[in-house]
């Protein structure tokens, strides 16, 4: 009989492969099962990496077109979309290879095929040719991730109707892109194709763009996107989708009250050559052998406790397949937690209030902790500090002065509760706030920390000072 593994991990996304490496580091005999012919999951192949590669192309193109603002003459600036997509693909392949190498060098057994639970301590792997191998294991980690959610009656054809998967294989830039859904994925693609030259329309059912962010951030982003030329319809219902080989159209009508970032939208028909459906993700839990086990599932999401344990002894689940934020860094943190717990290490559950979120649109958005509204809902007496990048020393040097840092603190002692940034390099800046939150810092401790000059991070310091009305540069 084959050796028994300490842990078999199903799925090699940022949840699964990071868990596998950590398992090997702490001496567990580990195997990873992946149904796709490559390792790295959504993040590497269809998510974080390709989108950020394209966003960088958009930023470079934009910067080059505005080079004369820096005194640099360039002549005609052109965009070769084929070369843009090739660069993205090269980066993705390189990252995928790096994940494969990590799995190999850490001596994790890799099994290519479809993984399923097959009774206590057993996982079957069905290879592409149909051959079934059974792995014996003490623990199983389900890290099967998610796929794009589609609307009923609509199918992605890769030509007129796409999800975040098919849009990564486009052969040409759409003349008019309609984006359904103004969450992180929707506004990132809006931001890419707007700068590539498409006309872009964003349609959102909720009253504001990036609806999970602080309301002030949503309002600022909507203002900026509109200024850049994006048409935004918030608080609308979309339906009656019609796609031909040439065009795609849909009807929109008001969904409810006009929201913080919305303008009253009358019923209208939107016609374009490409519709991107970015309305969320569906967890992959339906065909992995959960029937008859103690694993509980709600709306497709596997239910877990603070240590990522499911209701079935020895079976853990992490990442997009569990109901925690659908983010790569969350999946990785959960993977490490699960394997360390399985190995009997002392571990602490994740504090999901301290998970940073980052949206790489232009201007970037990043946040951590409680929004102003959430902090009030939880009964905090709240004070807010806000500092605009127009008053920061570095932003004008970069040529990007849009946005602000908003700091939410508890009024009496100044305990930091949340930080919300919209503006240049927001996604890099947010980590300082993460360290402050995880060490339970006060805003005073933040502003007593001397920040280098001239940097964007001084906006963080000034927002912290601003909580108690002590900002210098306002
Ligand atoms: C367009 C887009 C942009 C994104 N950008 C960001 C970003 O910038 N930052 C960020 O933090 N997050 C981002 N995300 C989210 C991020 O990609 C996911 O949160 C992350 O990939 C989840 O990791 P995971 O390991 O849980 O699952 P996945 O990455 O989905 O990996 C799951 C793996 O399991 C495999 N699998 C599934 N079922 C089986 C089975 N039965 N047997 C064998 N293998 C199986 C799949 O093939 C896949 O390889 C983005 C997502 C999208 C769609």
């Amino acid at each position: 009989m084959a050796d028994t593994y300490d842990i078999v991990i199903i799925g090699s996304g940022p949840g699964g492969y990071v868990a596998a490496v950590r398992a090997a580091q702490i001496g567990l005999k580990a195997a990873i099962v992946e149904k796709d012919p490559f390792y790295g999951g959504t993040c590497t192949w269809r998510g974080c990496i390709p989108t950020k590669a394209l966003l960088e192309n958009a930023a470079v193109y934009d910067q080059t077109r505005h080079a004369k603002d820096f005194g640099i003459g360039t002549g005609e600036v052109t965009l070769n979309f084929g070369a843009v997509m090739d660069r993205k693909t090269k980066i993705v392949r390189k990252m995928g290879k790096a994940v494969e190498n990590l799995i190999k060098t850490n001596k994790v057994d890799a099994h290519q095929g479809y993984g399923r639970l097959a009774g206590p301590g057993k996982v079957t792997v069905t290879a592409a040719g149909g051959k079934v191998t059974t792995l014996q294991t003490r623990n199983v980690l389900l890290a099967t991730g998610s796929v794009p959610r589609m609307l009923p009656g609509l199918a992605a054809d890769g030509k007129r109707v796409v999800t975040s998967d098919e849009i990564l294989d486009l052969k040409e830039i759409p003349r008019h892109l309609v984006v359904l859904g103004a969450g992180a994925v929707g506004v990132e693609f809006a931001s890419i194709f707007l700068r590539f030259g498409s006309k872009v329309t964003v349609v959102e059912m909720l009253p504001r763009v990036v609806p999970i962010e602080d309301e002030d951030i949503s309002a600022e982003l909507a203002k900026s996107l509109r200024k850049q030329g994006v048409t935004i319809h918030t608080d609308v219902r979309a339906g009656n989708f019609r796609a031909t080989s040439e065009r795609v159209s849909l009807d929109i009508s008001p969904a409810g009250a006009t929201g913080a970032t919305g303008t009253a939208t009358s019923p209208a028909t939107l016609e374009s050559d490409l519709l991107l459906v970015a309305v969320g993700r569906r967890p992959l839990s339906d065909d992995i052998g959960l029937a008859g086990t103690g694993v509980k599932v709600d709306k497709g999401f596997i239910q877990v406790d603070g240590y990522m344990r499911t209701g079935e002894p020895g079976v853990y689940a992490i990442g997009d397949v569990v109901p925690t934020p659908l983010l790569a860094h969350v999946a990785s943190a959960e993977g490490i937690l699960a394997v360390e717990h399985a190995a009997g290490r002392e571990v602490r559950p994740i504090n999901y209030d301290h998970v940073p979120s980052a949206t790489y649109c232009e201007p970037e958005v990043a946040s951590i902790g409680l929004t102003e509204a959430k902090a009030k809902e939880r009964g905090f007496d709240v004070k807010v500090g806000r500092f605009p990048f127009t008053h920061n020393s570095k932003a004008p040097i970069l040529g990007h002065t849009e946005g602000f840092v908003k700091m939410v603190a508890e009024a009496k002692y100044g305990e930091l509760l949340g930080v919300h940034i919209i503006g240049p390099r927001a996604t890099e800046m947010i980590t300082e706030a993460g360290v402050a939150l995880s060490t339970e810092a006060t805003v005073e401790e933040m502003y007593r920390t001397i920040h280098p000059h001239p940097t964007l991070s001084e906006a963080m310091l000034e927002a912290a000072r601003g909580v108690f009305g002590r900002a210098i540069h306002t």
Side-chain angles (χ1 to χ4, degrees), residues 10-16 33-36 40-43 46-48 51-52 113-115 143-146 164 185 188-189 281 284 287-288 318-321 326-329 331 358 360:
I10 307 182
S12 75
V33 183
E34 174 53 60
K35 67 177 173 51
D36 286 348
T42 304
C43 175
R46 299 174 294 275
C48 328
T51 51
K52 268 80 259 181
Y114 193 97
T144 48
S146 65
S164 58
V185 170
E188 284 186 4
F189 279 111
R281 311 264 310 163
L284 275 182
D287 184 22
I288 52 173
I318 58 159
D320 279 12
V321 79
L326 274 64
L327 293 167
H329 42 281
Y360 302 75

Side-chain angles (χ1 to χ4, degrees), residues 9-329:
I9 297 158
I10 307 182
S12 75
Y17 90 77
V18 168
V21 170
R22 184 65 191 133
Q25 280 176 349
I26 56 180
L28 300 185
K29 186 172 165 49
I32 194 160
V33 183
E34 174 53 60
K35 67 177 173 51
D36 286 348
F38 37 72
Y39 298 90
T42 304
C43 175
T44 307
W45 293 88
R46 299 174 294 275
C48 328
I49 304 301
T51 51
K52 268 80 259 181
L54 293 176
L55 279 153
E56 195 55 32
N57 273 95
V60 170
Y61 184 45
D62 207 38
Q63 179 104 355
T64 314
R65 282 189 306 163
H66 294 100
K68 64 176 182 317
D69 301 348
F70 292 75
I72 300 166
T74 51
E76 194 197 350
V77 181
T78 58
L79 184 84
N80 177 341
F81 189 58
V84 166
M85 293 304 247
D86 286 350
R87 178 177 181 273
K88 174 264 302 170
T89 305
K90 258 191 218 148
I91 295 168
V92 164
R93 288 196 182 138
K94 196 170 169 196
M95 297 287 206
K97 197 75 203 156
V99 172
E100 193 176 332
N101 287 341
L102 272 175
I103 291 170
K104 266 193 203 140
T105 51
N106 281 281
K107 301 197 169 37
V108 174
D109 285 352
H111 297 267
Q112 211 98 50
Y114 193 97
R116 280 185 191 86
L117 289 181
K122 280 198 188 106
V123 169
T124 55
V125 182
T126 308
K131 183 173 172 244
V132 180
T133 311
T134 302
L135 309 177
Q136 312 281 337
T137 181
R138 293 183 183 85
N139 298 284
V140 178
L141 177 58
L142 303 170
T144 48
S146 65
V147 289
R149 200 179 279 285
M150 241 308 150
L151 292 172
L154 199 59
D157 60 10
K159 278 195 161 152
R160 299 290 155 231
V161 181
V162 291
T163 67
S164 58
D165 285 355
E166 299 82 19
I167 199 168
L168 294 170
D169 295 322
L170 285 188
K171 299 282 178 277
E172 54 190 49
I173 298 168
R175 280 188 305 281
H176 181 192
L177 171 68
V178 171
V179 179
L180 202 58
V185 170
V187 296
E188 284 186 4
F189 279 111
S191 219
I192 292 168
F193 284 98
L194 180 78
R195 284 176 290 169
F196 283 173
S198 303
K199 174 181 171 194
V200 175
T201 304
V202 173
V203 175
E204 168 60 52
M205 192 179 77
L206 294 172
R208 53 198 181 93
V209 299
V210 286
I212 62 167
E213 299 293 344
D214 189 278
E215 282 186 29
D216 288 349
I217 299 286
S218 296
E220 183 76 4
L221 182 62
K223 192 175 92 187
S224 171
L225 290 176
R226 285 196 172 112
K227 205 167 112 196
Q228 293 173 59
V230 178
T231 304
I232 302 177
H233 301 281
T234 49
D235 220 350
V236 293
R237 244 187 272 285
N240 196 15
F241 299 93
R242 287 98 64 198
T244 66
S245 59
E246 296 298 312
R247 312 289 296 156
V248 53
S249 52
L250 64 141
D251 296 339
I252 57 167
S253 55
T258 301
T261 63
T263 49
T265 298
S266 340
T269 297
L270 302 179
E271 237 192 42
S272 69
D273 48 340
L274 192 69
L275 172 68
L276 167 66
V277 181
V279 294
R281 311 264 310 163
R282 180 172 67 78
L284 275 182
S285 61
D286 33 7
D287 184 22
I288 52 173
L290 302 186
T293 70
V295 179
K296 300 259 177 316
V297 176
D298 184 20
K299 298 190 185 86
F301 289 103
I302 296 175
Q303 306 298 298
V304 287
D305 67 8
Y307 299 104
M308 315 319 296
R309 287 180 294 196
T310 68
E312 178 73 16
V315 178
Y316 294 77
I318 58 159
D320 279 12
V321 79
V322 305
T324 55
L326 274 64
L327 293 167
H329 42 281

